[in-house]
DNA sequence: GTCGTCACGGTTGAA
DNA sequence: CTTTCAACCGTGACG
């Protein structure tokens, strides 16, 4: 074939120079083509351009008269070439014959030919391109052929091999992208394969010839053959798709306004929820429904627009950075940790292997808390009794009227505003920061849109020492935001880092722990760790930023000794050393979160200390990684996957959710960390929890069906005021268990298995880039050298969503703690819980979740309960053991065999609200 | 060896 | 008129 090409090129060069006029492309009569005996041998120089014209440039496709130059083979033909020639000649003859038969009305004499011809025509889908009539009837086919003669000339299409015989200098030389593929055939990069080759591919495939053989015969890459044949299988057409152009705009003004309206009415709505509501309300159809990203963009653009509308001078500002921050929690988190003093200086701003303590829910109605200094401080030490603190979890709490004023509140239009009711009860937004204004807040309560704010000059900013540039230019948006938060944290925290406070708090907690209820979990503070953490917080030299919950590699010797005592050693990347803590109920779990692969065991006998029940559960089967439930949630994961079909395997192995690069990284670390043992799960209901993909932007609120439907009680959780009948997962996987849940919110998992995510802890910037980790992927399995899966439990009560992530043995991270708190408070008052709550004045009236206790798993039959108020404790949480503290499974309302009275927390919950 | 997948560099046409 | 962008293309490497 190289010879042919060479000949072609030589002949091309020897041709007369083309005229200045555009040389018309030729679509010669089929007779012309078929008379050329050598038609098939010029495969190597198929002129895609002509075919392209046939596809897209009809204006030239039917103009005859252009001289045809036939390139005769001058080299010896191989058997393959001859075969190809015969094949192509056959095809051309076939089509010509078919056409003539059709035109002569003799189709009845050759019904098989008609069918075959129809197949070819259908595959070519001429009508699809030219808008002609359906080829269903012979007449239509003939008409279509006639029509095509006028527009595109079917002859030219059929005989487009002849295109390769035409060597028009101008066309040839002016068209770029000419290449020779590995088979020697010339192709035009970016342009579709000629139709005749497409037909031949189909024809040969229909004859049973394998794709690889077709590829060789037609000198088309096997990938292309595969693609075309797959397209034919799926669509019945082998035509290329429409190239170029734009899709009809789906984000019409009406849609945009609706989206904004939905978001305004329910700021907690996720994009996909908005999307489904658009469908439900008939605003959009399936064909024109905006994508989730579009919806997010609408919301974001709205925010941007409003932000800019505050001050025209901002037009000059470089708001690109902010524009690039959609209303995405994870992105905001990444943004937050990039703030100085909020993140250790030697920490990478990525979420890589770190606990991100900043949980921002974009709730414009209620505002969102950024962890205050107190919160952050309490991450390293127990709360101080005399201080008015509210929350020590690394996660955030949504603000409430009872919220402690000692909090920084992000509030307003998505991520566009920052409020602070810190001390001076000042609120400032991003815009405010840019225009050096702050909005004062009434009573420290966030009531956006209520009109309770007033604008004051930045000079009145109560935060002492706060400096704001007066320049409205440049990227002040971000800088100011950084500086404000950083400054606040710095100044506030420094004042409260006092030893006596910490000591007092420790003492109090120890007392509390001593009084803990037997039936409830008292996650004891390891004194050494606690001391170590306190030391971290107090000793600037050991922590890059004492205010940051993300601690640098420079752990204090105490901490390191602690690690060592646990049989662990710090062996690698220090950037993920984290220290975090959360507090659930009256307990103060202080968690040292270390990427598990950063440790190697100095003793293989350092198995986690587990209760007898947990120990016994080790013998239980591990959760299947490919559970039926996993399919549903995994379907959502497809959107995250670049791959289209291959990723839908339904497997929920820890690496399935990851990109290849992540997987590779995981593998690369396998030499550091031994493969984790199978996560031993105790599931009372023997159900396999729905896997939850934490990487999803919508945080995976789709509900997967339960393989083993649980008995439903009538005490179901009320649904949203709005609800979508089915989550995407449900749509794809119908389940009897879900059939009666059509009226429930997609957030309602009352009758569905709890969301759970279990994945290997992997450190990967790519993963971070996916915006996947809301809280952490760290695991604090300090007592095990194994690579640990983290486990996330999704507890969803009506519209409330709570995520509980176990990050180690008896270490929890609770996201959306505000909801948890809210639930807890709804269940008040309570004896034990309340009593214990009262022991901590700092938590009083502060909205902290101290009222919530996480019952301790004492044996396999003790099922800790979590629930919400409203007299409908509808969830029980069978525990899972293994590397995790909890697995998850939510059943509805005291399922069989469960005595609510056995759980004080449940009793508490069941009490009528006061 | 086969085949599906996907990154890549390219083209196209509506906005 | 140019630019941008998102669609599509075939190829070829990869597993």
């Amino acid at each position: 074939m190289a010879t042919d090409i060479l000949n072609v090129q030589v002949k091309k060069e020897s041709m007369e120079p083309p005229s200045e006029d555009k040389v018309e492309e030729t679509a010669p009569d089929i007779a012309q083509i078929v008379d050329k005996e050598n038609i098939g041998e010029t495969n190597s120089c198929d002129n895609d351009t002509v075919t392209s014209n046939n596809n897209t440039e009809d204006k030239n496709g039917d103009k005859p008269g252009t001289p045809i130059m036939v390139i005769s083979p001058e080299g010896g033909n191989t058997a393959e070439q001859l075969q190809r020639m015969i094949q192509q000649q056959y095809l051309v003859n076939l089509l010509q014959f078919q056409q003539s038969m059709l035109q002569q009305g003799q189709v009845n004499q050759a019904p098989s030919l008609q069918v075959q011809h129809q197949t070819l025509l259908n595959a070519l889908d001429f009508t699809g391109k030219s808008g002609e009539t359906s080829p269903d009837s012979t007449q239509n086919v003939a008409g279509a052929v006639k029509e095509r003669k006028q527009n595109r000339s079917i002859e030219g299409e059929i005989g487009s091999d002849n295109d390769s015989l035409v060597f028009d200098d101008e066309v040839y030389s002016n068209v770029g992208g000419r290449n020779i593929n590995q088979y020697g055939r010339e192709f035009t990069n970016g342009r579709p394969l000629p139709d005749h080759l497409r037909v031949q591919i189909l024809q040969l495939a229909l004859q049973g010839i394998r794709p690889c053989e077709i590829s060789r015969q037609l000198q088309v890459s096997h990938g292309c053959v595969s693609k075309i044949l797959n397209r034919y299988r799926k669509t019945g057409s082998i035509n290329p798709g429409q190239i170029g152009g734009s899709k009809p705009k789906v984000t019409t003004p009406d849609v945009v306004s609706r989206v904004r309206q939905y978001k305004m009415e329910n700021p907690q709505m996720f994009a996909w929820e908005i999307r489904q509501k658009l469908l439900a309300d008939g605003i959009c159809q399936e064909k024109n429904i905006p994508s989730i990203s579009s919806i997010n963009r609408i919301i974001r653009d709205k925010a941007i627009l409003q932000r800019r509308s505050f001050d025209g001078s901002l037009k000059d500002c470089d708001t690109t950075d902010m524009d690039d921050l959609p209303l995405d929690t994870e992105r905001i988190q990444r943004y937050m940790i990039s703030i100085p003093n909020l993140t250790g200086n030697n920490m990478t701003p990525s979420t890589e292997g770190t606990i991100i303590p900043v949980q921002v829910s974009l709730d414009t109605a209620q505002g969102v808390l950024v962890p205050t200094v107190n919160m952050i401080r309490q991450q390293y030490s127990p709360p101080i009794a005399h201080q008015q603190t509210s929350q020590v979890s690394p996660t955030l709490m949504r603000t409430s009227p009872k919220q402690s004023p000692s909090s920084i509140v992000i509030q307003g239009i998505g991520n566009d505003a920052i409020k602070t009711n810190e001390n001076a009860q000042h609120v400032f937004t991003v815009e405010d920061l840019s225009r050096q204004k702050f909005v004062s807040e009434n009573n420290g309560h966030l009531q956006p849109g209520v009109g309770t704010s007033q604008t004051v000059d930045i000079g009145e900013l109560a935060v002492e020492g706060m400096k704001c540039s007066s320049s409205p230019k440049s990227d002040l948006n971000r800088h100011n935001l950084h500086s404000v938060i950083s400054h606040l944290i710095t100044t506030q925290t420094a004042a409260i880092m006092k030893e006596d406070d910490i000591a007092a708090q420790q003492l109090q907690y120890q007392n509390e722990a001593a009084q803990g209820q037997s039936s409830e979990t008292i996650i004891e503070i390891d004194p050494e760790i606690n001391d170590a953490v306190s030391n971290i917080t107090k000793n600037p030299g050991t922590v890059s930023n004492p205010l940051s919950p993300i601690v640098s590699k420079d752990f204090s010797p105490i901490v390191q000794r602690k690690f060592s005592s646990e049989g662990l050693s710090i062996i690698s990347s220090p950037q993920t050393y984290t220290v975090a803590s959360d507090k659930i109920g009256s307990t103060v779990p202080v968690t040292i979160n270390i990427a598990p692969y950063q440790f190697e065991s100095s003793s293989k006998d350092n198995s986690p200390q587990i209760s007898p029940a947990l120990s016994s559960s080790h013998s239980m089967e591990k959760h299947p990684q490919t559970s039926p439930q996993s399919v549903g949630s995994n379907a959502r994961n497809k959107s995250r996957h670049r791959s289209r079909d291959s990723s839908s395997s339904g497997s929920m192995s820890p690496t399935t959710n990851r990109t290849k690069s992540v997987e590779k990284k995981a593998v690369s670390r396998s030499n550091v960390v031994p493969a984790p043992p199978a996560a031993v799960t105790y599931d009372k209901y023997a159900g396999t929890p729905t896997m939850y993909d934490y990487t999803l932007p919508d945080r995976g609120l789709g509900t997967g069906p339960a393989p083993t439907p649980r008995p439903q009680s009538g005490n179901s959780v009320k649904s949203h005021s709005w609800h979508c009948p089915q989550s995407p997962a449900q749509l794809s996987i119908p389940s009897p268990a879900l059939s009666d849940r059509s009226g429930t919110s997609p957030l309602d998992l009352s009758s569905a298995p709890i969301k759970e995510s279990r994945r290997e802890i992997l450190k990967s910037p790519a993963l971070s880039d996916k915006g996947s980790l809301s809280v952490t992927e760290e695991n604090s399995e300090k007592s095990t050298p194994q690579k640990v899966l983290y486990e996330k439990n999704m507890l969803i009560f009506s519209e409330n969503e709570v995520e509980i992530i176990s990050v180690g043995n008896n270490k929890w991270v609770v996201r959306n703690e505000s909801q948890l708190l809210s639930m807890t408070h709804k269940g008040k008052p309570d004896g034990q819980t309340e009593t214990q709550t009262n022991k901590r004045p700092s938590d009083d009236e502060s909205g902290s979740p101290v009222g919530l206790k996480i019952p301790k798993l004492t044996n396999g039959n003790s099922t800790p309960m979590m629930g919400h108020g409203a007299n409908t404790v509808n969830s029980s949480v069978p525990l899972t053991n293994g590397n995790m503290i909890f697995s998850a499974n939510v059943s509805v309302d005291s399922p069989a065999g469960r005595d609510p009275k056995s759980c004080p927390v449940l009793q508490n919950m069941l009490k009528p609200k006061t």
Side-chain angles (χ1 to χ4, degrees):
Chain A
M1 301 310 294
T3 303
D4 292 343
I5 297 166
L6 180 61
N7 292 335
V8 167
Q9 291 174 342
V10 168
K11 282 182 175 290
K12 178 176 77 85
E13 291 173 356
S14 63
M15 285 178 64
E16 291 290 326
S19 63
E20 292 299 311
D21 297 334
K22 177 175 178 58
V23 178
E24 297 169 341
E25 293 293 338
T26 306
D29 286 343
I30 197 167
Q32 280 183 279
I33 303 169
V34 298
D35 284 344
K36 310 300 180 182
E37 294 182 357
N38 301 317
I39 185 167
E41 73 197 30
T42 55
N43 245 349
S44 61
C45 29
D46 288 333
N47 190 329
D48 290 357
T49 302
V50 175
T51 304
S52 300
N53 288 339
N54 286 337
N55 286 339
T56 58
E57 301 176 15
D58 295 340
K59 56 186 179 183
N60 294 329
D62 58 346
K63 293 184 178 179
T66 302
I68 300 171
M69 179 168 291
V70 178
I71 307 301
S72 299
E74 295 181 9
N77 284 332
T78 64
E80 183 178 334
Q81 281 178 307
L82 286 174
Q83 184 182 6
R84 184 166 53 252
M85 290 168 59
I86 294 170
Q87 199 92 46
Q88 293 180 338
Q89 184 64 63
Y90 161 76
L91 177 69
V92 172
N93 289 342
L94 172 65
L95 289 177
Q96 184 193 27
F97 171 69
Q98 289 172 344
Q99 183 182 0
S100 64
M101 293 281 285
L102 294 174
Q103 289 175 342
Q104 294 169 13
Q106 298 172 347
V107 291
N108 290 336
Q109 300 177 15
S112 62
L113 273 183
Q114 182 189 5
V115 172
Q116 197 170 22
H117 191 66
Q118 190 65 67
T119 301
L120 293 177
L121 290 176
N122 289 345
L124 281 170
D125 192 21
F126 292 153
T127 58
K129 285 183 175 178
S130 57
E132 292 163 1
T133 56
S134 166
D136 286 342
S137 68
T138 303
Q139 193 60 41
N140 284 344
V141 172
V145 171
K146 271 191 173 181
E147 196 72 18
R148 188 169 177 76
K149 267 197 165 184
Q150 296 177 359
N151 295 328
R152 297 176 51 193
S153 175
I154 189 171
E155 290 87 353
E157 194 75 28
I158 294 170
S160 58
D161 242 10
N162 209 32
D163 302 341
S164 60
L165 308 182
V166 180
F167 285 94
D168 180 279
D169 266 358
E170 182 170 326
V171 171
Y172 189 89
S173 59
N174 286 352
V175 175
R178 291 299 184 109
N179 288 304
I180 305 296
N181 68 8
Q182 60 183 348
Y183 297 112
R185 187 182 63 85
E186 185 179 6
F187 71 97
T188 305
N189 197 8
R191 300 297 301 139
L193 201 67
D195 280 353
H196 74 276
L197 284 179
R198 293 173 172 274
V199 171
Q200 285 178 282
I201 289 172
L202 176 60
Q203 191 84 11
L204 295 176
L206 292 177
Q207 294 172 11
I209 300 177
R210 292 183 305 174
C212 60
E213 191 67 21
I214 297 173
S215 172
R216 283 192 292 265
Q217 281 193 17
L218 301 182
Q219 296 182 305
V220 177
S221 67
H222 95 273
C224 181
V225 171
S226 175
K227 193 176 186 178
I228 290 174
L229 291 179
N230 269 331
R231 182 195 295 266
Y232 177 74
R233 292 189 202 103
K234 292 176 181 176
T235 68
S237 171
I238 59 173
N239 258 12
Q242 178 183 352
I243 300 176
S246 301
K247 282 185 173 179
K249 192 174 182 178
V250 297
T251 53
T252 60
D254 182 49
V255 172
V256 171
S257 62
R258 286 283 185 161
V259 168
R260 292 173 178 171
Q261 176 188 343
Y262 294 158
K263 191 67 179 179
M264 184 172 298
E265 292 172 353
N266 189 347
Q268 290 185 319
M269 283 182 78
F270 293 98
W272 70 267
E273 294 168 336
I274 293 176
R275 198 166 181 262
Q276 298 216 356
K277 189 163 170 61
L278 286 172
L279 285 175
D281 292 354
I283 307 302
C284 297
Q285 308 298 324
E286 284 288 351
K287 58 183 179 182
N288 64 348
I289 184 74
S291 65
I292 290 177
S293 61
S294 296
I295 293 173
N296 281 328
R297 185 170 52 249
I298 290 171
I299 299 170
R300 182 192 63 183
D301 289 348
K302 173 193 173 189
I304 294 171
L305 196 64
Q306 295 191 11
R307 186 176 72 229
R308 286 175 173 166
S309 65
F310 280 124
D311 193 337
S313 64
L314 277 180
K315 293 175 182 177
D316 296 333
C317 293
D318 179 13
T319 58
T320 303
D321 287 346
M322 295 305 296
D323 292 351
D324 289 337
L325 290 172
L327 300 184
D328 181 84
T329 300
E330 283 73 21
R331 291 199 184 195
I332 292 175
Q333 289 170 354
R334 288 196 292 274
Y335 174 65
M336 294 295 289
I337 65 173
S338 69
I339 298 173
N341 290 334
L342 195 60
T343 302
N345 292 335
N346 55 357
M347 281 295 300
T348 58
S350 88
T351 61
E352 170 178 340
T354 62
I355 285 185
I356 303 174
V358 181
Q359 163 69 31
V360 178
S361 296
L362 297 170
D363 189 336
T364 59
Q366 300 180 41
V368 179
L369 278 183
V370 175
T372 66
V373 174
N374 285 341
M375 294 178 183
I376 295 171
R377 179 187 58 77
Q378 292 175 29
Q379 291 180 15
Y380 305 103
S381 63
I384 301 168
H386 69 266
Q387 284 198 327
Q388 191 178 23
T389 60
S390 59
Q391 172 70 21
V392 295
S393 168
T395 61
L396 283 179
M397 292 195 58
R398 182 162 293 119
T399 58
S400 67
K402 294 180 179 180
Q403 190 69 43
S404 164
S406 58
S407 60
I408 306 168
V409 183
I410 288 182
Q411 185 267 341
I413 308 159
N415 59 337
D416 299 318
I418 290 180
K419 267 188 178 180
T420 176
N421 52 357
E422 186 113 12
N423 297 340
Q425 302 287 303
H426 272 107
V427 178
F428 47 93
T429 66
V430 173
E431 292 78 8
D432 295 329
L433 299 180
S434 294
R435 57 198 172 100
Q436 298 86 45
K437 292 177 180 178
F438 291 88
V439 179
S440 177
E441 178 189 2
N442 281 351
N443 300 327
H445 295 169
L446 303 176
Q447 299 176 353
V450 181
T452 59
S453 296
Q454 59 178 350
T455 301
V456 296
D457 289 337
I458 191 171
E460 302 177 15
L461 178 64
V463 179
E464 183 176 315
M466 181 67 199
K467 302 294 183 184
C468 288
S469 169
S470 60
S471 170
K473 295 282 230 175
S474 74
D475 53 351
L476 281 178
N477 277 348
R478 169 162 292 186
H479 289 168
N480 280 339
L481 179 61
H482 281 195
S483 57
V484 166
I485 296 176
S486 171
H487 175 83
L488 286 174
I489 292 174
T490 302
T491 56
Q492 301 277 325
T493 307
I496 54 179
M497 287 295 175
K498 297 179 180 178
E499 284 188 23
D500 52 347
D501 290 347
I502 295 174
Q505 205 160 18
Q506 288 177 354
L507 180 61
Q508 178 181 351
Y509 267 81
Q510 289 169 1
N511 293 335
E512 288 179 0
Q515 300 173 3
Q517 293 76 18
S518 60
S519 61
E520 294 178 350
T521 296
I522 299 300
I523 304 176
E524 295 182 0
I525 310 167
D526 186 315
E528 188 171 359
I529 289 184
N530 202 30
D531 292 340
V533 172
S534 300
N535 182 56
I536 289 174
T537 60
K538 291 184 292 185
N539 186 351
T542 61
V543 185
S544 62
N545 179 1
L547 310 176
S548 171
I550 301 170
V551 182
S552 78
K553 63 180 179 180
D554 300 317
F555 278 115
S556 70
I558 299 177
V559 175
Q560 297 184 28
R561 281 199 302 273
K562 175 62 180 176
F563 294 155
S564 177
S565 67
E566 295 291 339
L568 301 173
S569 58
I570 303 171
I571 60 173
S572 68
S573 175
Q575 291 189 336
T576 57
Y577 295 167
T578 60
V579 172
S581 69
D582 52 16
K583 183 180 63 177
I584 299 174
S586 63
T587 64
V588 185
V590 177
T591 302
I592 307 296
N593 288 292
I594 307 291
Y597 44 77
Q598 293 175 307
F599 294 90
E600 60 185 4
S601 175
S602 58
S603 170
K604 292 183 179 178
D605 294 330
N606 274 319
S607 59
Q609 296 299 318
I610 54 178
S611 66
L614 300 180
S615 298
S616 63
S617 67
H618 273 291
S619 61
M620 298 185 133
E621 275 192 3
K622 145 193 183 181
H623 266 306
Q625 301 241 329
T626 55
S627 64
Q629 300 100 315
S630 70
V631 179
S633 58
N634 191 44
R636 292 177 285 105
N637 186 36
K638 291 169 73 175
S639 61
R640 304 288 296 185
H641 248 296
R642 193 195 183 285
S643 65
R644 289 167 273 277
D645 297 324
S646 64
S647 63
S648 58
S649 63
S651 168
M652 287 303 293
S653 63
T655 56
T656 303
N657 290 337
R658 283 174 160 73
T659 61
K660 288 183 176 179
S661 61
V662 176
E663 291 173 1
K664 290 176 181 176
K665 294 190 178 191
V667 170
S668 67
R669 292 185 175 277
S670 60
N671 58 340
V672 177
V673 179
V680 182
T681 300
Y682 169 67
D683 186 342
K684 179 177 182 177
Y685 298 95
T688 48
T690 296
M691 306 307 285
Y692 177 83
D693 181 8
Y694 215 158
T695 67
L696 290 177
D698 60 4
R699 292 161 63 204
L701 291 182
T703 55
T708 54
R710 304 214 177 97
Q712 299 264 342
S713 77
N715 207 0
S716 62
V717 178
K718 293 180 181 179
S719 65
H720 266 103
S721 56
W722 61 270
H723 39 75
C724 72
Q726 288 178 312
S727 72
Q730 289 171 339
L731 290 171
S732 61
I733 303 176
S735 169
L738 300 171
S739 60
D740 56 344
R741 300 178 63 242
S742 58
T744 60
S745 160
L747 298 178
D748 186 355
L749 283 186
S750 58
S751 60
I754 198 166
K755 299 300 180 191
E756 178 186 28
S757 176
R758 173 180 311 181
R759 64 167 53 177
E760 293 179 71
I761 303 300
L762 295 174
K763 184 174 85 172
S764 168
L767 191 62
S768 301
D769 293 341
K770 294 287 183 181
S772 58
L773 299 186
S774 298
V775 177
T776 178
E777 282 196 342
E778 291 290 76
N779 192 297
S780 63
E781 282 293 311
K782 59 183 176 63
S783 58
T784 175
Q786 301 150 347
K787 182 192 291 183
V788 180
L789 307 176
Y790 84 75
E791 184 172 292
K792 191 183 76 168
N793 303 320
M794 295 289 294
L795 302 183
I796 299 179
F797 307 94
S798 185
E799 75 277 9
N800 293 321
E801 171 194 4
V802 177
E803 299 176 12
I804 301 177
I805 303 170
S806 66
V807 294
N809 227 3
N810 294 329
K811 312 257 183 326
W812 292 50
V813 171
V814 178
R815 204 166 83 152
N816 294 26
E817 265 178 289
S818 56
Q819 279 96 349
L820 205 57
L821 168 69
S822 176
M823 299 170 196
T824 309
H825 281 195
K826 284 177 182 176
K828 282 201 219 177
D830 169 61
Q832 288 178 325
T833 300
E834 189 68 18
T835 299
Q836 198 151 2
T837 300
N838 291 338
K839 287 182 176 180
R840 290 196 290 179
S842 62
D843 292 322
D844 289 347
E845 306 296 323
S846 64
S848 70
V850 294
L852 180 69
K853 298 277 187 68
I854 303 300
K856 182 176 185 178
L857 175 66
T858 56
N859 55 64
N861 295 325
S862 174
T863 302
M865 304 293 291
M866 295 185 64
H868 75 92
N871 298 328
T872 56
V873 177
N874 50 17
S875 298
S876 64
V877 185
L879 298 186
T880 297
N881 184 36
N883 296 323
M884 300 298 107
I885 303 171
F886 293 96
S887 177
N889 230 329
V890 173
S891 62
V892 175
D893 192 24
S894 283
R898 174 66 181 154
D899 180 12
K901 295 179 180 178
S902 63
C903 177
V905 174
L906 180 58
Q907 287 181 309
N908 177 28
M909 299 296 182
L910 288 171
K911 288 184 178 181
K913 285 191 293 185
T914 57

